């Protein structure tokens, strides 16, 4: 297998750049993909109800940005505006780290294998929960219950914890592993996996 120079460089240091990149650009990346997803839903909707949902999403985001720009404009200097924008987005970086930790270093499947696993088992094998306590639950926004979020994507975040015992009961009944670990251990697992990939790519030839 051959890899290009840029890929080799980026992957070889990914275990060092993962945390700072998640914090620095995580929120801005979410803004972009959320808007593109809503726009795609609006433009390519096959039903009027779906188009209406896409329109509502786009409108909601436009209202948010109108409010946010008006808020930022209240600061007197460009430096103050920049500091506010960066601080207000970087402080939620822990949420973006948690979101990727809940999906990385888990099992991967082809489309055919996914169908064979079926919905419930597939979600349990491709996501993990992050254990939290009273002092850090707020930072995760309820999405530390990522397994339940995948199983019930329309369920409000404050109710995800309530269905957790039911999900665990089903897992125990059918012998399915329920992955839940601490934030620090999840970081360790993902970084070790990234480092392993970095070492593997170092042995590949450049094309």
């Amino acid at each position: 297998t051959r890899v290009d120079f840029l890929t080799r460089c980026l992957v070889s240091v990914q275990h060092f750049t993962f945390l700072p990149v998640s914090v620095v650009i995580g929120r801005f990346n979410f803004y972009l993909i959320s808007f593109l997803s809503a726009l795609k839903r609006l433009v390519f909707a096959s039903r009027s109800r779906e188009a209406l949902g896409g329109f509502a999403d786009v409108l909601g985001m436009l209202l948010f940005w109108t409010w946010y720009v008006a808020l930022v404009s209240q600061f007197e200097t460009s430096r103050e505006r920049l500091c506010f924008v960066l601080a207000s987005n970087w402080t939620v970086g822990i949420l973006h780290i948690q979101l990727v930790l809940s999906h990385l270093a888990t099992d991967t499947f082809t489309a055919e294998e996914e169908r064979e696993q079926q919905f419930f088992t597939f979600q349990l094998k491709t996501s993990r929960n992050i254990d939290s306590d009273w002092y850090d639950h707020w930072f995760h926004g309820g999405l530390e219950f990522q397994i339940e979020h995948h199983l019930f994507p329309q369920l409000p975040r404050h109710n995800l914890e309530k269905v957790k015992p039911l999900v665990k009961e089903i897992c125990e009944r059918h012998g399915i592993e329920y992955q839940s670990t601490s934030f620090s251990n999840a970081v360790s697992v993902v970084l070790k996996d990234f480092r392993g990939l970095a070492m593997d790519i170092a042995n590949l030839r450049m094309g």
Side-chain angles (χ1 to χ4, degrees), residues 28-39:
F28 301 103
N29 180 59
F30 262 32
Y31 291 145
L32 178 61
I33 62 177
S34 296
F35 184 78
L36 293 178
S37 177
L39 193 60

Side-chain angles (χ1 to χ4, degrees), residues 4-205:
D4 58 75
F5 178 76
L6 180 61
T7 299
R8 180 189 289 269
C9 290
L10 293 177
V11 175
S12 65
V13 296
Q14 63 182 358
H15 46 301
F16 297 117
T17 59
F18 165 63
L19 293 177
V21 167
S22 295
V23 171
V24 172
I25 70 170
R27 192 67 172 179
F28 301 103
N29 180 59
F30 262 32
Y31 291 145
L32 178 61
I33 62 177
S34 296
F35 184 78
L36 293 178
S37 177
L39 193 60
K40 180 180 178 181
R41 183 183 180 191
L42 172 62
V43 174
F44 298 103
S46 57
R47 295 175 299 175
S48 58
R49 184 176 181 180
E50 185 178 359
L52 182 61
F55 175 76
D57 287 342
V58 171
L59 179 61
M61 281 183 265
L62 290 176
L63 289 174
F64 164 76
W65 280 110
T66 300
W67 167 81
Y68 190 76
V69 170
L71 177 65
V72 173
S73 66
Q74 298 303 306
F75 291 94
E76 295 182 357
T77 66
S78 298
R79 181 178 181 180
E80 290 176 342
R81 297 187 190 105
L82 177 62
C83 288
F84 175 80
V85 169
L86 295 181
S88 64
N89 287 280
W90 287 356
T91 50
V92 296
I94 187 173
L95 173 61
H96 300 285
I97 294 174
Q98 176 257 303
L99 288 174
V100 290
L101 289 179
S102 295
H103 301 90
L104 295 173
T106 58
D107 292 342
T108 56
F109 300 93
T110 64
E112 182 179 349
E113 291 170 337
E114 178 182 345
R115 289 190 293 270
E116 292 176 355
Q117 291 291 323
Q118 298 188 358
F119 178 77
F120 185 88
T121 304
F122 176 76
Q123 302 305 326
L124 268 293
K125 289 186 176 181
T126 57
S127 57
R128 69 166 61 85
N129 280 5
I130 303 297
D131 299 334
S132 63
D133 291 300
W134 63 268
Y135 57 85
D136 62 349
H137 167 72
W138 182 86
F139 288 99
H140 297 297
L143 288 177
E144 68 269 36
F145 304 106
Q146 195 66 205
I147 291 174
E148 288 71 26
H149 174 60
H150 278 217
L151 293 173
F152 310 100
Q154 299 300 317
L155 191 66
R157 296 180 187 181
H158 62 274
N159 286 329
L160 292 174
E161 186 175 11
K162 296 179 181 178
V163 301
K164 178 179 177 178
L166 302 177
V167 175
K168 294 186 70 173
E169 181 182 343
I170 296 175
C171 290
E172 293 172 1
R173 189 187 311 158
H174 296 279
I176 302 172
E177 182 183 3
Y178 184 93
Q179 301 185 72
S180 185
T181 187
S182 67
F183 184 85
S184 58
N185 187 62
V187 170
S188 176
V189 168
V190 169
L191 291 182
K192 285 180 181 178
D193 185 62
F194 275 13
R195 187 177 186 279
L197 291 173
M199 297 301 102
D200 290 339
I201 203 169
N203 298 320
L204 297 178
R205 291 182 298 171

